[in-house]
Amino acid sequence: MGESQGTLRDVAHLGHVELLTPKPEESLRFFCDVLSMQEVARQRQSVYLRAWGEYESYSLKLTESRQAGIAHTAFRAWSPQALDRRAQAIEASGRGLGWLDGDIGHGKAYQFTDPDGHVLELYYESEKYQAPDALRPALKNQPQRTPNHGIGVRRLDHINFLGRHPASNRAFMQQQMGAMLTEEIVLDDGTESGIWLTFTNKAYDVVYTMDATGSTGRLHHIAYWVDTREDVLRAADIYLEHGIPIEFAPGKHAIAQGFFLYAREPGGNRIEIATGSYLILDPDWKPIIWSQADRAKGQAWGTPTVATFHTYGTPPVVPEERR
Amino acid sequence: MGESQGTLRDVAHLGHVELLTPKPEESLRFFCDVLSMQEVARQRQSVYLRAWGEYESYSLKLTESRQAGIAHTAFRAWSPQALDRRAQAIEASGRGLGWLDGDIGHGKAYQFTDPDGHVLELYYESEKYQAPDALRPALKNQPQRTPNHGIGVRRLDHINFLGRHPASNRAFMQQQMGAMLTEEIVLDDGTESGIWLTFTNKAYDVVYTMDATGSTGRLHHIAYWVDTREDVLRAADIYLEHGIPIEFAPGKHAIAQGFFLYAREPGGNRIEIATGSYLILDPDWKPIIWSQADRAKGQAWGTPTVATFHTYGTPPVVPEERR
Amino acid sequence: MGESQGTLRDVAHLGHVELLTPKPEESLRFFCDVLSMQEVARQRQSVYLRAWGEYESYSLKLTESRQAGIAHTAFRAWSPQALDRRAQAIEASGRGLGWLDGDIGHGKAYQFTDPDGHVLELYYESEKYQAPDALRPALKNQPQRTPNHGIGVRRLDHINFLGRHPASNRAFMQQQMGAMLTEEIVLDDGTESGIWLTFTNKAYDVVYTMDATGSTGRLHHIAYWVDTREDVLRAADIYLEHGIPIEFAPGKHAIAQGFFLYAREPGGNRIEIATGSYLILDPDWKPIIWSQADRAKGQAWGTPTVATFHTYGTPPVVPEERR
Amino acid sequence: MGESQGTLRDVAHLGHVELLTPKPEESLRFFCDVLSMQEVARQRQSVYLRAWGEYESYSLKLTESRQAGIAHTAFRAWSPQALDRRAQAIEASGRGLGWLDGDIGHGKAYQFTDPDGHVLELYYESEKYQAPDALRPALKNQPQRTPNHGIGVRRLDHINFLGRHPASNRAFMQQQMGAMLTEEIVLDDGTESGIWLTFTNKAYDVVYTMDATGSTGRLHHIAYWVDTREDVLRAADIYLEHGIPIEFAPGKHAIAQGFFLYAREPGGNRIEIATGSYLILDPDWKPIIWSQADRAKGQAWGTPTVATFHTYGTPPVVPEERR
């Protein structure tokens, strides 16, 4: 890992994800009514959605599909030069898929896969969101008025991929994307079973955890940010009133110390409402290593991790496994 | 401003400040008992103090002096190369004071002044804090056990300098230090009277506001971070019980949307307990400009700014002006 | 005061208020869209509104009128016997107005005035709210589903009358209604200028403060309860986004230690969003007396009380006095 | 139940408990250092402790003993007359044990048992706490300065007894003590397995839950109150840093909607840090009945109740059952 830790700085941040859903109408209502996201565009089988605090046009492309899962995950490069540098390096690594013309809200994008087969994209040109009159905020330093209903998620925070070999994805993310490894689970046999990576001062933007089913290319969850733990507790009550089954009630992760709430949107994808955690300002951060013994203690306050966390992902591979 | 916005990335973050106090014992008790900071070293007239969440050894060097004020402000460079690059550029700009051997906890530092005369330092080598047994945390991803008393500040968050011409300091910080301008007050006559600058994904690390007394080189305040608004409200109660006069009760700033509480430590320096605000992920962020009319609305919830905010700083220049 | 302190226990709690508004449509939208109250009935010039946590049908009767103000304030008796006892005693005191047949949601009521001329009512029979299917809660121990928009006030908490002689109202409330005096402002000349009274374990249900304009029968404010200080801070943001002018930003009262936010509904009546304070369990509570010197310290964290607090009430008597 | 619901009103509130501990020094340190309670007196094998918000001298008498458990639970009567009325009625019911001279901080007390054998006391005369200078609060409406360390519990909130037949204890509490039944678990076979009772506007002061071991006279837990959910989350972190094993991490109860955190003090007694819940203002409240099917849903957010909740109590009867 050593030298590759955070020296490239060519990737600015996680930009957006394309989520697949077999129940597009119900998923859309979940993101709009319950999470308070805003529709900004529609095209073919996709609806583009944003959270109120995002400076770009959207963070979620919700696409109708036969089954749930993650179609692609896009990162914004730091500059046009950074975009070209990364594209060339990834091309040379053999994982490149080539350039795309872009999509609603952003310019040309370089497409590639991580070793686990998740489709990734990198772009630089990005339209900044301009709120229409009805959504203009009272304070000019926020992109959009805060919503008056629902949980009110602020911005896409991170993505957690499931993967067959987190370590190979970790190496790719560090070497080709310049990600910094911040925390890590290393089993007694040396297997790296969980990987926390960042491109920013946040403790993590991308996570890889071991897929206990041995599948590849699956999604564990995406997370939307709220500002306070009270917001997370309030979100749990909103889920309760909306009949959204809660998979993992609010609690505090030991790793990265995030405060969480997990549920599944109607299409089956796991969604986290997240806050807490900490900022990393150190340019030569030494990754935190969690052992098997550490992990046996459960989450920060001793709560055992729900069993479905290790096997359920999208697309689901064990059909009956729905909570 | 244009091109200089955030492209250098040679400065990692604000590291520590040296605060002067005419009442060293009382100031020390304030930082230790009320803010929950930890003494890590003493040398000559100085005590070195840390907050529990800081990865470096300390963020506050508290030095006995005839009057209150800020002796120097230190930033950590991103790498040894970055440190040299900045030192050369600043030297060339004519504001350099030369290299220092270092201090407790960090290596050699390049010293210089901003156009207003505040003494600044840049260093790279830094000792990571190792908690002694009694202060070892339950969770290995925090540097130190959270304190069991007081407000429990987590880390130094930002510094707010007073200055005769914020604009010239702004230009220096952008051009020589690679700071990014995030928000700004521009009066009707074009004067830049408030400047918010960052080196990180935080909305601001350094602020310059106009010194209404026409003085130079003064301090408006330093801010320590807590994680929640509840922590800030709790801090106000702790100040109340400790007889610390509150200058500006908890509220929400319009600019940068920070949630604040201001008081003065016994030596006279203004201290903010801060949380809230927002992260900036956009690499080509367009600064938010606040007009005189905008500012006339007061803070976010309409509260007028306390009058002493425009004149009181350290060292005090209007001796009787103590609230 | 002595013996009358809390021994009668014939009044159970504050039930509802009838608020007058010259802008019925805008007031209604404020209570429904911003405070999240629910319309339960309409009759003639009145709309009946409830908060989600109330066991009775409503707590607010909003009535169109030439000017803002309070038409009547109703309390629920502990039992039918208690109602009769109070009616007889008040009749004997000479302040009785007689029995009314009742109104939507409650049975016969005895009407009377306090010495300041505010119209009060006492009733016992009360319909318990039955949520329609669409508003049925997930948890059976709350009367109604929590709303998915707005501030989400839980229940009517207290009423603050303005009065020419708080002391005479205090005596009436203690002797005829069995209220317990909990806190009080006594000026240096012995004038009781602020009176906090309760019928429950809450620190106050009814407040009388001196009307600096010398008027009688006016309203200072009514308060709706939310559960957390975070809810109050969030309410301030919601006001900000809805363009509701904030009269007194969130803060902590010294007296009774309530956490507050004050604004005026479009009709002009002052509305508090309230939480905090404390429970009184002591059956022989000794009232807390605040002196003029105590009050000179401002609110709990030193914030001065806004000037309009001492003169603005409804109906307004100084027409131009709008903030 | 019918008529007995809340009509007597002779009992004002839960006053204090006497807890037994086989590890008196460690238990004392837990209550003082971690819960921030204050020692007010010592006598023989007992230490008397108070929380900062209590108007009486103490709420916890901690007594050295061979094993953990609850020695007695004391309630304050509404008046001297109420005390006599209750003593006579209980005497007549055959459960009386007779008068005691009193104890530190309170006058003569009538002692009796509930049908399950828990020792109860009723007293009226009570010394109001007078803070010594060092503990005098900044605001005169609180009995004591808020502590500057630890969790900072405010007051004793409730007691949860384990019992062989909750229903018979329920009937005793209603008929002899005038308690109001607020919520209840009724199994499919009609067994009342959980009983929530109140003497105040709080949703519960006393709880009886079925002892799955068939024992009598045991304690499930006592609960201390904090004002906010943030305080409960902070308490969990404080437990974590102090190595106090958390039995049930912060969450929301379905019944009574309390927000909880459970751990065991070093002597083995289960302690809850509690907030949330709701006030009951209705004088003819209809109890909420929870069925077996309702309870199968777990706590409010779907979290299953920890298994030890149904069997662990003090004194422990299954010696090895320690988490």
Side-chain angles (χ1 to χ4, degrees):
Chain A
M1 301 171 295
E3 291 225 307
S4 61
Q5 274 292 94
T7 52
L8 291 176
R9 308 183 85 194
D10 277 349
V11 175
H13 63 85
L14 174 63
H16 57 266
V17 296
E18 182 179 2
L19 221 52
L20 303 176
T21 173
K23 298 187 181 170
E25 279 313 309
E26 290 162 77
S27 292
L28 181 60
R29 280 201 303 274
F30 171 83
F31 287 109
C32 292
D33 297 352
V34 183
L35 259 56
S36 324
M37 294 179 70
Q38 182 77 24
E39 179 178 334
V40 289
R42 283 192 187 222
Q43 198 177 55
R44 289 185 293 274
Q45 301 309 96
S46 301
V47 183
Y48 296 75
L49 298 166
R50 59 177 276 99
W52 67 267
E54 293 167 342
Y55 78 90
E56 295 184 282
S57 352
Y58 62 89
S59 61
L60 179 61
K61 182 178 179 180
L62 187 64
T63 299
E64 181 171 5
S65 179
R66 201 176 45 76
Q67 56 180 8
I70 179 90
H72 84 272
T73 303
F75 297 86
R76 189 168 179 216
W78 186 266
S79 65
Q81 296 76 15
L83 173 57
D84 287 342
R85 270 196 302 269
R86 287 308 98 217
Q88 285 170 30
I90 295 166
E91 180 91 19
S93 81
R95 302 218 62 85
L97 296 176
W99 288 96
L100 304 178
D101 278 348
D103 195 347
I104 289 176
H106 70 83
K108 68 170 183 169
Y110 188 74
Q111 199 177 50
F112 54 102
T113 59
D114 67 15
D116 208 75
H118 299 96
V119 176
L120 309 178
E121 291 181 16
L122 201 53
Y123 64 94
Y124 171 69
E125 283 167 27
S126 178
E127 281 172 27
K128 301 200 187 198
Y129 178 70
Q130 296 296 333
D133 279 3
L135 297 177
R136 198 156 294 165
L139 294 176
K140 49 168 58 173
N141 52 1
Q142 71 186 45
Q144 179 186 334
R145 190 189 160 111
T146 41
N148 190 32
H149 73 278
I151 293 171
V153 296
R154 181 171 194 143
R155 57 171 172 72
L156 178 62
D157 186 72
H158 65 267
I159 186 163
N160 187 331
F161 296 115
L162 283 168
R164 188 134 54 171
H165 300 114
S168 52
N169 295 293
R170 191 258 304 143
F172 177 80
M173 277 286 174
Q174 289 178 298
Q175 291 155 17
Q176 305 305 329
M177 296 280 277
M180 185 165 88
L181 177 69
T182 57
E183 305 206 16
E184 186 174 22
I185 304 171
V186 180
L187 303 184
D188 294 352
D189 66 2
T191 306
E192 300 175 41
S193 68
I195 298 288
W196 278 254
L197 298 157
T198 193
F199 298 102
T200 62
N201 291 125
K202 293 166 50 217
Y204 54 112
D205 296 320
V206 175
V207 181
Y208 284 91
T209 46
M210 184 92 77
D211 193 325
T213 69
S215 312
T216 57
R218 295 208 301 160
L219 174 69
H220 191 274
H221 71 269
I222 59 167
Y224 273 91
W225 178 266
V226 290
D227 280 344
T228 69
R229 301 196 289 195
E230 273 291 330
D231 287 335
V232 175
L233 302 180
R234 191 174 153 268
D237 278 336
I238 290 175
Y239 279 167
L240 180 65
E241 289 289 32
H242 280 79
I244 309 287
I246 293 172
E247 184 182 8
F248 203 175
K252 180 175 174 173
H253 282 302
I255 299 177
Q257 300 198 18
F259 193 76
F260 61 81
L261 165 65
Y262 293 94
R264 299 187 196 151
E265 54 88 22
N269 296 294
R270 188 186 279 114
I271 307 294
E272 181 186 2
I273 305 296
T275 193
S277 191
Y278 58 93
L279 293 184
I280 294 180
L281 302 176
D282 185 356
D284 53 2
W285 173 263
K286 200 155 151 273
I288 308 294
I289 310 298
W290 301 84
S291 69
Q292 234 166 298
D294 290 332
R295 296 307 304 134
K297 294 180 193 165
Q299 300 303 325
W301 297 324
T303 315
T305 303
V306 290
T308 46
F309 246 51
H310 302 294
T311 52
Y312 183 84
T314 47
V317 291
V318 191
E320 70 279 20
E321 184 221 354
R322 291 299 296 270
R323 185 170 174 266
Chain B
M1 301 168 297
E3 291 226 307
S4 60
Q5 275 293 95
T7 51
L8 291 176
R9 308 181 85 194
D10 277 351
V11 175
H13 63 85
L14 173 63
H16 57 267
V17 296
E18 182 179 2
L19 221 50
L20 303 175
T21 172
K23 299 187 179 170
E25 279 314 308
E26 290 163 78
S27 291
L28 181 61
R29 280 201 303 273
F30 171 83
F31 287 108
C32 292
D33 297 353
V34 184
L35 260 55
S36 324
M37 295 178 71
Q38 183 75 25
E39 180 177 333
V40 290
R42 286 194 183 217
Q43 200 177 55
R44 287 185 294 272
Q45 303 307 97
S46 301
V47 183
Y48 297 75
L49 298 166
R50 59 176 278 99
W52 66 267
E54 294 167 341
Y55 79 91
E56 295 183 281
S57 352
Y58 61 89
S59 61
L60 180 61
K61 181 178 179 181
L62 187 64
T63 299
E64 180 172 4
S65 180
R66 201 177 45 78
Q67 57 179 8
I70 178 92
H72 84 273
T73 302
F75 298 87
R76 189 170 179 214
W78 186 266
S79 65
Q81 297 76 15
L83 173 58
D84 287 342
R85 267 196 303 271
R86 288 307 97 217
Q88 285 169 31
I90 295 165
E91 179 92 19
S93 81
R95 305 216 61 86
L97 296 175
W99 289 96
L100 305 177
D101 278 348
D103 196 349
I104 288 177
H106 70 84
K108 67 168 183 170
Y110 188 75
Q111 198 178 49
F112 54 102
T113 60
D114 67 16
D116 209 76
H118 298 97
V119 176
L120 308 178
E121 292 182 15
L122 201 52
Y123 65 94
Y124 170 70
E125 282 166 27
S126 178
E127 281 171 27
K128 301 202 188 199
Y129 178 70
Q130 297 296 334
D133 280 3
L135 297 177
R136 200 158 290 167
L139 294 176
K140 49 169 59 173
N141 52 2
Q142 71 186 45
Q144 179 186 334
R145 189 189 161 108
T146 42
N148 189 32
H149 73 279
I151 292 172
V153 298
R154 182 172 195 143
R155 58 171 171 72
L156 178 62
D157 186 72
H158 64 265
I159 186 165
N160 187 332
F161 295 116
L162 282 168
R164 186 135 57 171
H165 299 114
S168 52
N169 294 293
R170 190 258 303 143
F172 177 80
M173 277 287 175
Q174 288 178 299
Q175 290 155 19
Q176 305 304 331
M177 296 279 278
M180 184 164 86
L181 177 68
T182 58
E183 304 206 15
E184 184 173 24
I185 303 171
V186 180
L187 304 184
D188 293 352
D189 66 1
T191 306
E192 300 175 41
S193 67
I195 299 288
W196 279 254
L197 298 157
T198 193
F199 298 102
T200 62
N201 291 127
K202 294 167 50 219
Y204 54 111
D205 295 321
V206 175
V207 181
Y208 283 93
T209 46
M210 183 91 80
D211 193 324
T213 69
S215 312
T216 57
R218 296 208 300 160
L219 173 70
H220 190 273
H221 70 268
I222 59 166
Y224 274 90
W225 178 266
V226 290
D227 280 343
T228 69
R229 299 195 291 194
E230 275 291 331
D231 287 335
V232 175
L233 303 180
R234 190 174 155 269
D237 278 336
I238 291 175
Y239 278 167
L240 180 65
E241 290 289 31
H242 281 79
I244 309 287
I246 293 173
E247 183 182 10
F248 203 173
K252 180 176 174 173
H253 281 304
I255 299 178
Q257 300 198 17
F259 195 75
F260 62 80
L261 165 64
Y262 293 94
R264 299 186 197 152
E265 53 88 22
N269 297 295
R270 188 188 279 114
I271 307 294
E272 182 187 1
I273 305 296
T275 192
S277 194
Y278 58 93
L279 294 184
I280 294 179
L281 302 175
D282 185 356
D284 53 3
W285 173 263
K286 201 157 149 272
I288 307 293
I289 310 298
W290 300 83
S291 68
Q292 234 166 299
D294 289 332
R295 296 309 303 133
K297 293 179 191 165
Q299 299 303 326
W301 296 325
T303 314
T305 303
V306 290
T308 45
F309 247 51
H310 303 294
T311 51
Y312 184 83
T314 45
V317 292
V318 192
E320 71 278 21
E321 186 219 354
R322 290 300 296 271
R323 185 170 171 266
Chain C
M1 297 171 297
E3 290 225 307
S4 59
Q5 273 291 96
T7 51
L8 291 175
R9 305 183 87 193
D10 277 350
V11 175
H13 62 85
L14 174 63
H16 56 266
V17 296
E18 181 179 2
L19 221 51
L20 303 175
T21 172
K23 299 187 180 170
E25 279 312 309
E26 290 163 76
S27 291
L28 182 60
R29 281 201 302 274
F30 171 82
F31 287 108
C32 292
D33 297 352
V34 183
L35 259 55
S36 325
M37 294 178 71
Q38 182 78 23
E39 180 178 333
V40 288
R42 286 194 183 217
Q43 200 177 56
R44 291 188 290 274
Q45 302 309 98
S46 300
V47 183
Y48 296 75
L49 298 166
R50 58 176 277 100
W52 67 268
E54 293 167 341
Y55 79 91
E56 294 184 282
S57 351
Y58 62 89
S59 61
L60 180 62
K61 181 178 178 180
L62 187 64
T63 299
E64 180 171 3
S65 180
R66 201 176 46 77
Q67 57 180 7
I70 179 89
H72 84 273
T73 303
F75 298 86
R76 190 169 178 215
W78 186 267
S79 65
Q81 296 76 14
L83 173 57
D84 287 342
R85 268 196 301 271
R86 288 307 99 218
Q88 285 170 30
I90 295 165
E91 181 90 16
S93 81
R95 305 218 61 88
L97 296 175
W99 288 97
L100 304 177
D101 278 348
D103 195 349
I104 288 177
H106 70 83
K108 67 168 183 167
Y110 187 75
Q111 199 177 49
F112 54 103
T113 59
D114 66 15
D116 208 76
H118 298 97
V119 176
L120 309 178
E121 292 182 16
L122 201 53
Y123 64 94
Y124 170 70
E125 282 166 27
S126 179
E127 280 172 29
K128 301 203 185 196
Y129 178 69
Q130 296 296 334
D133 280 4
L135 298 177
R136 200 156 291 167
L139 295 176
K140 49 168 60 173
N141 53 1
Q142 71 186 45
Q144 178 187 331
R145 189 189 161 109
T146 42
N148 189 34
H149 73 278
I151 292 170
V153 296
R154 182 173 195 141
R155 57 171 172 72
L156 179 62
D157 185 72
H158 65 266
I159 185 162
N160 187 331
F161 295 116
L162 282 169
R164 189 136 52 170
H165 299 114
S168 51
N169 294 294
R170 189 258 304 142
F172 177 80
M173 277 285 175
Q174 289 177 298
Q175 291 156 17
Q176 305 305 328
M177 296 279 278
M180 185 165 86
L181 177 68
T182 57
E183 305 205 13
E184 185 174 24
I185 304 171
V186 180
L187 304 184
D188 294 351
D189 66 1
T191 306
E192 300 175 41
S193 67
I195 300 287
W196 278 254
L197 297 158
T198 193
F199 298 102
T200 62
N201 291 128
K202 292 166 52 218
Y204 54 111
D205 296 321
V206 175
V207 182
Y208 284 91
T209 46
M210 183 92 79
D211 193 325
T213 69
S215 312
T216 57
R218 296 208 300 159
L219 173 70
H220 191 274
H221 70 268
I222 59 166
Y224 274 90
W225 178 266
V226 291
D227 280 344
T228 68
R229 299 196 291 196
E230 275 290 330
D231 287 335
V232 175
L233 302 180
R234 190 173 154 269
D237 278 336
I238 291 175
Y239 278 166
L240 180 65
E241 290 289 31
H242 280 80
I244 308 287
I246 292 172
E247 185 182 8
F248 203 174
K252 179 176 175 172
H253 282 302
I255 299 178
Q257 301 199 17
F259 195 75
F260 62 80
L261 164 64
Y262 293 95
R264 299 188 195 150
E265 54 88 21
N269 296 295
R270 187 187 280 115
I271 306 295
E272 181 186 1
I273 305 297
T275 193
S277 193
Y278 59 92
L279 293 185
I280 294 179
L281 303 175
D282 185 356
D284 53 2
W285 173 263
K286 199 155 152 274
I288 308 293
I289 311 299
W290 300 83
S291 68
Q292 233 167 299
D294 289 332
R295 296 309 303 134
K297 293 179 191 165
Q299 299 304 324
W301 297 325
T303 315
T305 303
V306 290
T308 46
F309 246 50
H310 302 294
T311 52
Y312 184 83
T314 46
V317 291
V318 191
E320 69 278 20
E321 184 219 353
R322 290 300 297 272
R323 187 170 169 262
Chain D
M1 301 169 296
E3 290 225 306
S4 60
Q5 276 289 98
T7 52
L8 290 174
R9 307 182 85 191
D10 276 351
V11 176
H13 62 85
L14 173 63
H16 57 267
V17 298
E18 182 180 1
L19 221 51
L20 303 175
T21 173
K23 301 188 180 170
E25 279 313 309
E26 290 162 78
S27 292
L28 182 60
R29 280 201 303 273
F30 171 83
F31 286 108
C32 292
D33 297 352
V34 183
L35 259 54
S36 325
M37 293 178 72
Q38 182 78 23
E39 179 178 334
V40 289
R42 288 193 183 219
Q43 198 175 58
R44 288 187 293 273
Q45 302 308 99
S46 301
V47 182
Y48 297 75
L49 298 165
R50 58 176 278 100
W52 66 268
E54 294 167 341
Y55 78 91
E56 293 183 284
S57 353
Y58 62 89
S59 61
L60 180 62
K61 182 178 177 180
L62 187 65
T63 299
E64 180 170 7
S65 180
R66 203 179 41 79
Q67 56 179 9
I70 179 90
H72 84 274
T73 304
F75 298 86
R76 188 167 180 217
W78 187 266
S79 65
Q81 296 76 15
L83 172 58
D84 287 341
R85 266 196 303 271
R86 287 308 96 217
Q88 285 170 32
I90 295 164
E91 179 91 18
S93 80
R95 305 217 62 86
L97 297 175
W99 288 97
L100 305 177
D101 278 348
D103 196 348
I104 288 176
H106 70 84
K108 66 169 183 168
Y110 188 75
Q111 198 177 48
F112 54 102
T113 60
D114 67 15
D116 209 76
H118 298 97
V119 175
L120 309 178
E121 292 181 15
L122 201 53
Y123 65 95
Y124 170 72
E125 281 166 28
S126 179
E127 281 172 28
K128 302 202 187 198
Y129 178 70
Q130 296 297 334
D133 279 3
L135 298 176
R136 198 156 293 165
L139 294 176
K140 48 168 60 172
N141 52 1
Q142 71 186 44
Q144 179 186 333
R145 190 190 161 109
T146 43
N148 189 33
H149 73 278
I151 292 172
V153 297
R154 182 173 195 140
R155 57 170 172 73
L156 178 63
D157 186 72
H158 65 266
I159 185 162
N160 187 333
F161 295 115
L162 283 169
R164 187 135 55 170
H165 299 115
S168 53
N169 295 292
R170 190 256 305 142
F172 177 80
M173 277 286 175
Q174 288 178 298
Q175 290 155 19
Q176 305 305 330
M177 296 279 278
M180 184 166 86
L181 177 67
T182 57
E183 305 206 14
E184 185 174 21
I185 304 172
V186 180
L187 304 184
D188 294 351
D189 66 1
T191 305
E192 300 176 41
S193 68
I195 299 288
W196 278 254
L197 298 157
T198 192
F199 298 101
T200 62
N201 291 127
K202 293 167 50 219
Y204 54 112
D205 296 320
V206 175
V207 182
Y208 283 92
T209 46
M210 184 91 79
D211 193 324
T213 68
S215 312
T216 57
R218 296 208 299 160
L219 172 71
H220 191 273
H221 70 268
I222 59 166
Y224 274 90
W225 177 265
V226 289
D227 280 342
T228 69
R229 301 197 288 197
E230 275 291 330
D231 287 335
V232 176
L233 303 180
R234 191 172 154 269
D237 278 336
I238 290 174
Y239 278 166
L240 181 65
E241 290 288 33
H242 280 80
I244 309 287
I246 293 173
E247 183 182 10
F248 203 174
K252 180 176 174 171
H253 281 304
I255 298 177
Q257 301 199 18
F259 194 76
F260 61 81
L261 165 64
Y262 293 95
R264 300 189 196 149
E265 54 88 22
N269 297 294
R270 187 187 279 115
I271 307 295
E272 180 185 2
I273 305 296
T275 193
S277 193
Y278 58 93
L279 294 185
I280 294 180
L281 302 176
D282 186 356
D284 54 0
W285 173 263
K286 203 159 148 271
I288 308 293
I289 311 298
W290 300 83
S291 68
Q292 234 168 299
D294 289 333
R295 295 309 304 134
K297 293 179 191 165
Q299 299 304 325
W301 298 324
T303 314
T305 303
V306 290
T308 46
F309 247 50
H310 302 294
T311 52
Y312 184 82
T314 44
V317 292
V318 192
E320 69 278 22
E321 184 219 355
R322 290 300 297 272
R323 187 172 171 263

